[in-house]
Amino acid sequence: ETGVTQSPTHLIKTRGQQVTLRCSSQSGHNTVSWYQQALGQGPQFIFQYYREEENGRGNFPPRFSGLQFPNYSSELNVNALELDDSALYLCASSLSGGGETQYFGPGTRLLVL
Amino acid sequence: TQLLEQSPQFLSIQEGENLTVYCNSSSVFSSLQWYRQEPGEGPVLLVTVVTGGEVKKLKRLTFQFGDARKDSSLHITAAQPGDTGLYLCAHYNFNKFYFGSGTKLNVKP
């Protein structure tokens, strides 16, 4: 059974650019949640996708958007990058939507210069 | 806002010592989760507590959910260097997950 994987592991962008982060969910899981974790903080919930539909969203602006594909993998897109977007981006998959047990990937470390 | 406050923020202890970390809120939770996150990795679920007053044990870790379901604690007995990490509490409500800011634990050999 393959765990949750994320790519890339690290990324450097400049302010104003756009970025796409990718997540492959654990086998059999149809739900993916995305989080932003700033240094020294807990993860902040961005949104959750359940069977290709957004199923909950945190307090993030519309320039944070996502997609879930028929194979339940997912992308997080961030437009017009700002310096404060520098963080670890985590995705987590679960068997179904809602508050089911989540399994996290190792994250993508994004640095915005 | 479903604010979760964790204390202490940092804890540095010697191997063999006992410790307790706390997760508090003004809100009542239907359930609460505890995670441990090691450097360079994502959080890993340790336990979910559901019933007020519930106590769950995981080897040397003891988790307690407050009677009013507004707070929780994690007690570690005889801490080991492998316990080092960021301990996070979290809950799910209204289609959102909420995490505390965590307690960063360092256990020195």
Side-chain angles (χ1 to χ4, degrees), chain A residues 4 6 21-23 31-39 41-49 55-60 64-66 74-78 84-94 96-110, chain B residues 4 33 35 37 41-45 88-93 95-100:
Chain A
V4 178
Q6 293 187 241
L21 309 182
R22 295 178 175 84
C23 172
T31 301
V32 171
S33 301
W34 285 93
Y35 294 84
Q36 180 193 68
Q37 187 176 23
L39 206 58
Q41 299 295 318
Q44 297 293 310
F45 178 68
I46 302 175
F47 41 56
Q48 182 183 83
Y49 278 85
N55 184 44
R57 189 180 179 95
N59 296 326
F60 281 81
F64 286 78
S65 62
S74 178
E75 285 183 356
L76 165 65
N77 299 291
V78 187
D84 285 349
D85 295 334
S86 296
L88 179 68
Y89 288 84
L90 295 160
C91 86
S93 74
S94 53
S96 66
E100 290 289 324
T101 298
Q102 302 179 93
Y103 297 85
F104 282 83
T108 293
R109 175 75 63 186
L110 172 65
Chain B
L4 287 165
Q33 299 174 335
Y35 292 80
Q37 184 177 20
E41 298 183 11
V44 175
L45 180 67
L88 296 157
C89 63
H91 82 102
Y92 178 81
N93 203 10
N95 283 8
K96 298 179 186 178
F97 282 95
Y98 299 88
F99 277 80

Side-chain angles (χ1 to χ4, degrees), chain B residues 73-90:
Chain B
S73 64
L74 159 58
H75 181 80
I76 302 179
T77 304
Q80 298 176 0
D83 295 328
T84 292
L86 180 68
Y87 288 82
L88 296 157
C89 63

